[in-house]
Amino acid sequence: MKRLFVTFVAVMAILPYVKAEDLIPVRDSPATPVKLIYDTDIGGDIDDALALAIIHNMVKRGQIEFVGLTITKSNIYAAKYCKAFNIQYGHPDVPIGLVKNGSRPDDGHYAKNTIEMKNEDGSAKFPVPADWEPEDSVVLLRKLLAAAEDNSIVIAQVGMSTNLARLMETPGDDISPLTGMELAEKKVRLVCAMAGAFAFNTKQYENHREWNVILDIPSATKVFQEWPGEIVVSGYEVGIDILFPGDAFNADLRTKDSILRESYRFHRGGVDGKTRPTWDLTCILFTGRPESWRNYFTLSPRGKITVMKDGQFRFTETPDGARRAFICSPEQKSIIREAFINLCTEL
Ligand SMILES: [Ca+2]
């Protein structure tokens, strides 16, 4: 009791100095895992796969509950790759949804190649059950949100905005009487998105037309301008110079047959000396470690995002705005990189 009282006094003493805008309540207490939906264009760049490994390793640490995975790259191998990945990491039943008629239907460099790898006896190295099929991503989003408690879900959107924009347009149906907008408003605590570029620290990327945005500008416009809740954004300028070193995979022999290492090899043409920026990983680190993200990131003031016709982002400060972006110092970036190496080389 005395300890409780001391804690109470200590918290009351600190509270006036914690600015309200610094608090991101993505879970009820540090003992409760963050309920995460991972929305990804996996199969294109390798950072989506590195981010998926971090999710699994944070599930292992009790920091994340992996509620579901939805894919915005319109390619069946992307979905099979995620299924095989989840099987290898010990979470085979995470529901997976695939976008219908979305962008980037190509096989990319690593999803199909990795899935088709064989053992010496001809069996698949990273097997997927023969009769397995992904769900429709928007239907899955509706199901997961309808089943969730109010204000409980965090969505990491690290690809095109196609799935979330389509969710916003759905009417009530037999899954839920709520529309997509109502589900978003009622069930989702926070969206953390990798998209666009911001010119807070550097003007270098001021007019950057970022990949996730330009592949589906109408959907990005809808999500970043009209999503009813809070969005925190990791812009292009954050992950571009936090480089993941492929050599990190050599430090731990347990990763020798890892699906992550093999796909990194396909994507980068090897692991030794091959690096890659870590755009998508930043969103997972932020949402998965809500009590310690201040070590890694600073948040911009509140504001609104306008998506220009050509896909560029314009950020305008407004006190009641529901959009914020990461700002990272070089010191924070080196701490982030260390965390990424630790979290990605565990299997
Ligand atoms: Ca991505």
Side-chain angles (χ1 to χ4, degrees):
M1 196 61 208
K2 189 182 165 202
R3 202 160 137 197
L4 261 181
F5 179 73
V6 170
T7 309
F8 175 76
V9 170
V11 168
M12 290 314 285
I14 292 167
L15 270 181
Y17 304 104
V18 178
K19 287 185 287 181
E21 63 264 31
D22 281 347
L23 299 173
I24 304 269
V26 293
R27 58 178 161 189
D28 293 329
S29 83
T32 318
V34 174
K35 294 178 194 298
L36 184 77
I37 296 176
Y38 184 46
D39 184 66
T40 166
D41 62 333
I42 202 160
D45 205 310
I46 196 65
D47 61 332
D48 299 76
L50 291 163
L52 182 54
I54 293 186
I55 293 173
H56 283 293
N57 287 327
M58 285 187 166
V59 171
K60 209 160 69 181
R61 287 162 164 79
Q63 294 169 321
I64 284 178
E65 180 185 329
F66 198 174
V67 173
L69 190 163
T70 49
I71 300 165
T72 46
K73 181 173 168 59
S74 204
N75 178 278
I76 186 65
Y77 291 102
K80 290 186 177 188
Y81 174 81
C82 288
K83 183 69 175 174
F85 202 110
N86 293 350
I87 289 170
Q88 181 167 72
Y89 278 80
H91 309 118
D93 299 326
V94 174
I96 297 173
L98 177 63
V99 68
K100 264 197 193 133
N101 304 318
S103 48
R104 298 310 306 247
D106 59 284
D107 289 338
H109 294 297
Y110 67 87
K112 183 169 189 275
N113 284 334
T114 311
I115 285 299
E116 291 182 342
M117 286 182 78
K118 299 271 191 278
N119 294 313
E120 276 178 19
D121 65 1
S123 61
K125 207 174 191 62
F126 305 110
V128 176
D131 58 350
W132 180 80
E133 278 182 20
E135 289 195 62
D136 176 288
S137 53
V138 180
V139 172
L140 179 59
L141 281 172
R142 285 190 59 81
K143 281 186 193 170
L144 296 175
L145 294 181
E149 286 171 27
D150 287 358
N151 196 34
S152 68
I153 297 290
V154 174
I155 301 177
Q157 181 197 277
V158 298
M160 294 71 87
S161 299
T162 317
N163 284 335
L164 294 198
R166 287 184 185 173
L167 165 73
M168 289 164 76
E169 283 164 358
T170 56
D173 56 14
D174 53 2
I175 298 168
S176 167
L178 301 179
T179 65
M181 279 297 266
E182 288 165 342
L183 284 170
E185 193 165 9
K186 209 167 174 214
K187 307 288 186 158
V188 180
R189 272 192 183 199
L190 179 76
V191 174
C192 185
M194 191 280 126
F198 299 85
F200 299 115
N201 267 6
T202 165
K203 301 282 173 200
Q204 195 179 356
Y205 301 109
E206 199 168 24
N207 300 312
H208 188 75
R209 298 175 65 238
E210 193 272 323
W211 176 257
N212 289 341
V213 178
I214 59 174
L215 280 181
D216 188 348
I217 295 175
S219 292
T221 307
K222 187 161 187 72
V223 168
F224 289 97
Q225 296 185 181
E226 296 173 33
W227 182 264
E230 296 248 352
I231 307 182
V232 175
V233 189
S234 181
Y236 182 83
E237 72 285 354
V238 176
I240 182 66
D241 55 3
I242 307 173
L243 298 179
F244 184 87
D247 298 276
F249 291 119
N250 295 328
D252 190 339
L253 292 180
R254 286 175 301 168
T255 62
K256 207 174 171 186
D257 283 326
S258 93
I259 189 167
L260 180 63
R261 185 184 192 276
E262 294 305 326
S263 40
Y264 193 95
R265 193 172 57 75
F266 278 121
H267 185 259
R268 307 307 305 141
V271 293
D272 298 342
K274 306 284 187 182
T275 61
R276 192 64 190 157
T278 54
W279 297 286
D280 297 351
L281 290 68
T282 58
C283 283
I284 308 304
L285 188 65
F286 179 81
T287 51
R289 292 189 171 168
E291 284 76 30
S292 55
W293 61 257
R294 287 179 196 79
N295 298 331
Y296 308 120
F297 306 101
T298 306
L299 286 187
S300 74
R302 290 182 168 279
K304 63 174 187 175
I305 290 170
T306 307
V307 182
M308 312 301 281
K309 280 201 173 73
D310 67 356
Q312 288 184 45
F313 270 20
R314 289 285 178 272
F315 183 82
T316 317
E317 245 185 87
T318 53
D320 57 346
R323 308 290 180 257
R324 281 175 284 181
F326 295 167
I327 299 173
C328 274
S329 67
E331 292 75 21
Q332 285 171 319
K333 287 190 173 187
S334 58
I335 300 171
I336 292 173
R337 184 172 170 275
E338 273 178 39
F340 288 163
I341 292 171
N342 289 334
L343 286 161
C344 289
T345 52
E346 239 177 51
L347 179 63

